[in-house]
Structures are given as C-alpha cells and as structure tokens.
Amino acid sequence: MTALTLSTAAASGLRADAIVVGVAKGSGSKGALSVATGAESVDKAYDGKLASVLETLGATGGEGEVTKLPAPSGFKAPVVVAVGLGEVPEKDETYGTDALRRAAGAAARALTGSKKAAFALPVEDAEDIGALAEGALLGAYSFTAYKDAGDAKGRKNGKEAKAPLAEIALLGGKPRDKAYKAELQRAVAVAEELNRARDLVNTPPNDLDPEAFAAVATAAAKEHGIKVQVLDEKALTKGGYGGILGVGAGSEAPPRLVKLSYTHSKAEKHLAFVGKGITYDSGGISLKPAGHNETMKCDMAGAAAVFAAVVAAARLGLQVNVTGWLALAENMPSGSATRPGDVLRMYSGKTVEVLNTDAEGRLVLADAIAKASEEQPDAIVDVATLTGAMMVALGNRTFGIMANDDAFRASLHEIAEEVGEPSWPMPLPADLRKGMDSPTADIANIGDRMGGGLVAGLFLQEFVGEGIIWAHLDVAGPAFHEGAPYGYTPKGGTGSAVRTLVRLAERTAAGDLG
C-alpha cells in the first residue's frame, strides 16, 4: 500500500520523483486553461506561464487528463505532472471532493513505478485531504499477485509488473491538526479495505472457492476484533439453508455462510449487511453462453464489499453494531447440480421453484436475509452483482437501489453520490410480483423478463423479516470494470458499494439512519 504523509513543505524543496499539480478548464468550449490552487509556487517558478506551457503541450484540463513536463530550474523533483480537474468552479465554490479523488487517482496511477511524489492539489479543509488521500490510494492500486510469479524453482521471465507509487506527500495538509489527521486515517482504513475487496474480486476462482473466502474473512476478523462464525455444509444442512445448499450442490467446493459481527459497547443501532458471494458462476445447468463466463469470478463482489465494510467499521471504531453475512457458493453444472424445475425449501420455510439455475444469487441472498432478519436489525442492506437487466437499465458505472422504504432508499442514494459512487433509485412495482407465481411452490426464482432487475428485488423482499427496513444494491454494472482505468477506478474489481456501506455506518453511528 502506498504510504501517505501530510506536509507543509514548499514543492520546490521536496525531494521526489514528481510534483503533481491540478489544472482546470474555463467554462465554454474555448475556456482558457488555469492552474488550480495549491500549485502557486510551481506556477511562479515557470514565471506564471505554466498554463500556457501546458496548453502548448495539448493539455485541456479535462478530468483525469495527465500531462508531464520537466520541472523548473531549482526544483529537487525532475518532473511536474499536471492532472485535469475538469471545469473551474463557479465563484465562491470549490472543487468537489470526487473531482479531487479522481484527479489524485489518475495522478497516482500515472506515477506507477515511482518512489515518491508530492501532490500540490487544491486543499480547502480536512475533507479535501481525505478525498485526495482516498483517491490516491485507490488510484495507486494494482493487482500483481499472478504477474511473473516464476516457475517451481523461482525463475522469472523478466516481465514483472511495476510496483505502485510508493510514497505520497500531500501538500497543504496540517500534520498536527486533529481533523486533518483523522481524515487521513479514515481514508487509509477505507481504501485499504476497499483494495482488499478488489483483490478478492480479482483472485481467480481456482484459488478462491467458498472455503478459501471464509478463511480470508476469518483471519481478518480475528485481526480486528470481529466475531466470526462459519457455517459449513453440515451446519447449513442441519439449519435448513436450502437456497445456499441448492446453488452449491453442483460443485465439488461446498458452500459456506459466514457471519461477521462487529459490536461497540455504546452502540444504539444495528445494521446488517448481506453479500452475494458466488465465487464462480457458470450458470449451473442453465449454462451461460460462450463469452459470458470469463469474468464470472466477480460474482462474489457483493460479499467482498460487505466483508470490507465490516472490517472498515471495526478499524474506524464506529459507534454502531454491524453484522456482515457472506453467502458463499460456487454455481457449477454436474450430476448433483440443482435442475430447472427443482423445488428448494429455503431457510425461511418458503419453497422456491427453480426455473433458471442462473438466477442463483437471489437464492443464496434469500437464505442470508432471512437469517439476518432474526436478529431484528434496524436495517438490512444487501449487495449483489445480481442481474444483467440492471446493467441494461443503468449501464456499467451506476448501481441500482431498491428498498421497502422510500426515505431509506433516498438516503442511500444521497450517501452513494456523496462518496462518489454513482447510483439510481429504482422502484419495486407490485404488478411484477405475479410473474413469479408458481403452480408448484410458494414462488419461482424468475418472473417477467422485462424489468428483470426489479423482479429480482421483489423476490428478495419476500424474505425480509416483517417490519425491518431493507435495501438492495444491484452492483452488476460497476463491480467489475473491463475497460481502461479512469480516475481512481482500475481495470477489474472496483470495490463498488464499500464506501456507501461505510458512510451509512458512519451516519448511523452519528444518529442518522435515514
């Protein structure tokens, strides 16, 4: 993990590989490039002509744009890196925190392989420092566990990946100010756990089956004082978890249900987070077509997000009780796999006719939600890469929010936007429920094709305990990014929803559940 420090030093005197400054574009198509606050001393060293030099090099100030140029005479760093912040804020306004996160992330990624950089980006208050720190740590992330690991004798082929930027000094910070230090510490805790979630999503399924995932969660729980309980296949059978067992029936790697319990002695509220953890999804007997299997290691991203959020809450010492439920299974076709037409008896006692074994995530979540409901938490939030339909509706960067309480749904949307996770409130139309009527069981696991993402939400709602506030985050789009990196978002696992869950826990600890 990249090391972060706060510094009041002048950019010119810092020994580093690069000085990072912010630039922005004026409003309109012909807006002039301007140097952002925080970089005044750097601009002065260019005789106030840094903007014009950058324009000559083709810089526009667009978000995430990175331009490198030689540092001015007298600087101890050899390179200046200008990163775009987007449009110049209106009068009396400042750059938004997510613009700062994205800029810091783009700069950190551009400096992969460097030892140290100084970030002279805009800082108005402690919150800005937190945003820059978080963006830098998320942008510096890379997954290299399987890069040039060498053969059995340790021989390498000479193609080792470059290490992430090793150290960042955040200029404009106040090392002795409690608020600044607190924001830095929070950013480190959240970013480290989010990056751990990314690692899990990126780990190939031959190395991350349900048992292995449970072992990772157990080790982290013990490290951070979190109580952990792991239900293996025998305990799941004894407890009647028909959904989790039914999904995992076709795999040689048996399923698990992991309970992570973080408690605070002064907590007045209790949140339950439930994560879909399909460590690999072939579709089961309803096999996915060619071209749809290659990234299905990411189908446990919801469980990874829940795991990361619970650990982050513990590291931050939040005054709220948070229970995480990781519903882990591998969905494979075999002679023992659940068949289309089979009926499963769920943990809640309801029976489900399985019409499509590729609609498996809702089955494991249903058992976990029903179990979580028994503790009567103040709210349940489940996170899942649940439906392709949600991607059709909202694209690859936005997750959908469904809930049985309008105010809670609106609060989660506000929180997600605040932390920089694009989301959109979605309805749960009662008329779509009829499509899941089954002549054989209490409910079928699929319904109308149109509105499929909403149908999945309606299915889950059937398993929420009476009187409990619940929300469902369908992160199928943003959980795994297949395109080129941007801002602080890498290629591969993104850690989507971690920051939303953590901020919800923070708000709840402060007495604002939404």
Side-chain angles (χ1 to χ4, degrees):
M1 175 66 82
T2 302
L4 293 177
T5 57
L6 300 178
S7 176
T8 58
S12 60
L14 272 174
R15 294 188 181 278
D17 295 305
I19 305 294
V20 176
V21 300
V23 292
K25 58 181 180 180
S27 58
S29 60
K30 296 183 179 180
L33 188 73
S34 64
V35 178
T37 56
E40 292 85 356
S41 64
V42 180
D43 188 30
K44 184 178 180 180
Y46 285 98
D47 296 326
K49 297 179 180 178
L50 177 56
S52 60
V53 171
L54 288 168
E55 283 185 322
T56 301
L57 295 173
T60 66
E63 282 193 2
E65 179 188 78
V66 173
T67 307
K68 297 181 180 181
L69 68 164
S73 176
F75 272 53
K76 293 183 178 180
V79 175
V80 168
V81 176
V83 60
L85 288 158
E87 289 194 0
V88 175
E90 297 292 333
K91 186 179 181 181
D92 298 328
E93 293 185 4
T94 59
Y95 293 98
T97 51
D98 206 47
L100 297 179
R101 284 191 201 97
R102 290 193 292 266
R109 187 176 61 257
L111 289 166
T112 297
S114 300
K115 292 183 178 180
K116 183 176 181 179
F119 280 31
L121 292 166
V123 175
E124 297 289 336
D125 52 29
E127 187 179 8
D128 287 347
I129 281 291
L132 291 174
E134 190 176 271
L137 292 175
L138 298 180
Y141 172 84
S142 62
F143 184 70
T144 60
Y146 295 82
K147 289 284 189 180
D148 196 26
D151 60 17
K153 295 183 179 180
R155 293 173 296 193
K156 296 178 180 287
N157 62 18
K159 295 183 180 179
E160 293 182 72
K162 290 183 179 180
L165 174 60
E167 182 182 351
I168 296 173
L170 296 174
L171 307 187
K174 300 177 181 179
R176 297 182 181 181
D177 186 289
K178 290 183 179 180
Y180 279 71
K181 288 193 291 185
E183 283 287 347
L184 183 66
Q185 290 168 357
R186 179 194 180 278
V188 169
V190 173
E192 285 184 350
E193 296 312 320
L194 191 153
N195 283 340
R196 194 205 303 252
R198 289 172 168 179
D199 282 346
L200 287 167
V201 175
N202 289 328
T203 299
N206 58 314
D207 282 346
L208 191 75
D209 61 16
E211 184 178 9
F213 195 146
V216 171
T218 298
K222 291 180 178 179
E223 179 184 355
H224 295 288
I226 300 168
K227 292 182 180 180
V228 60
Q229 179 185 16
V230 179
L231 300 185
D232 61 14
E233 64 272 30
K234 292 181 180 179
L236 291 169
T237 300
K238 184 177 180 180
Y241 295 86
I244 297 174
L245 289 166
V247 173
S251 174
E252 293 184 358
R256 295 287 187 269
L257 177 61
V258 180
K259 178 185 180 183
L260 301 169
S261 302
Y262 161 68
T263 58
H264 192 286
S265 60
K266 296 182 180 180
E268 296 181 355
K269 296 290 185 180
H270 175 201
L271 297 174
F273 297 154
V274 180
K276 172 188 172 183
I278 305 300
T279 57
Y280 182 74
D281 182 19
S282 68
I285 297 296
S286 305
L287 194 68
K288 292 179 183 293
H292 290 74
N293 286 295
E294 291 77 7
T295 61
M296 281 298 103
K297 64 181 181 180
C298 79
D299 215 19
M300 36 58 67
V306 166
F307 164 53
V310 175
V311 177
R315 290 181 60 173
L316 296 172
L318 301 182
Q319 195 170 309
V320 59
N321 294 336
V322 183
T323 305
W325 299 88
L326 316 181
L328 310 175
E330 185 178 61
N331 187 25
M332 297 290 285
S334 73
S336 61
T338 294
R339 296 155 290 232
D342 283 355
V343 173
L344 304 177
R345 185 170 295 278
M346 311 295 283
Y347 177 80
S348 67
K350 287 183 186 290
T351 55
V352 176
E353 183 180 13
V354 179
L355 298 180
N356 187 325
T357 64
D358 196 23
E360 84 299 328
R362 65 199 69 184
L363 298 174
V364 301
L365 286 173
D367 273 355
I369 288 171
K371 180 63 176 177
S373 296
E374 291 181 345
E375 298 186 346
Q376 290 294 308
D378 293 285
I380 295 174
V381 180
D382 76 73
V383 185
T385 48
L386 206 60
T387 65
M390 195 57 58
M391 298 171 69
V392 172
L394 299 179
N396 293 321
R397 296 189 182 185
T398 303
F399 63 74
I401 306 174
M402 285 154 266
N404 61 2
D405 182 274
D406 290 345
F408 190 50
R409 181 182 61 195
S411 179
L412 279 171
H413 179 224
E414 177 186 303
I415 287 170
E417 295 297 312
E418 176 186 331
V419 299
E421 296 195 313
S423 66
W424 197 250
M426 302 293 283
L428 289 171
D431 63 287
L432 290 177
R433 169 61 181 85
K434 185 172 179 58
M436 290 184 285
D437 285 348
S438 165
T440 307
D442 295 323
I443 190 172
N445 76 324
I446 59 172
D448 295 345
R449 178 172 176 269
M450 299 302 175
L454 312 182
V455 170
L458 287 165
F459 179 90
L460 295 177
Q461 185 175 227
E462 295 273 329
F463 298 87
V464 179
E466 187 175 351
I468 299 175
I469 294 174
W470 157 83
H472 161 55
L473 310 184
D474 190 336
V475 298
F480 195 83
H481 179 56
E482 297 187 66
Y486 64 93
Y488 50 80
T489 301
K491 187 179 179 70
T494 65
S496 179
V498 172
R499 290 178 294 147
T500 295
L501 295 180
V502 173
R503 184 54 57 87
L504 172 63
E506 289 174 324
R507 280 198 179 188
T508 304
D512 180 17
L513 181 56

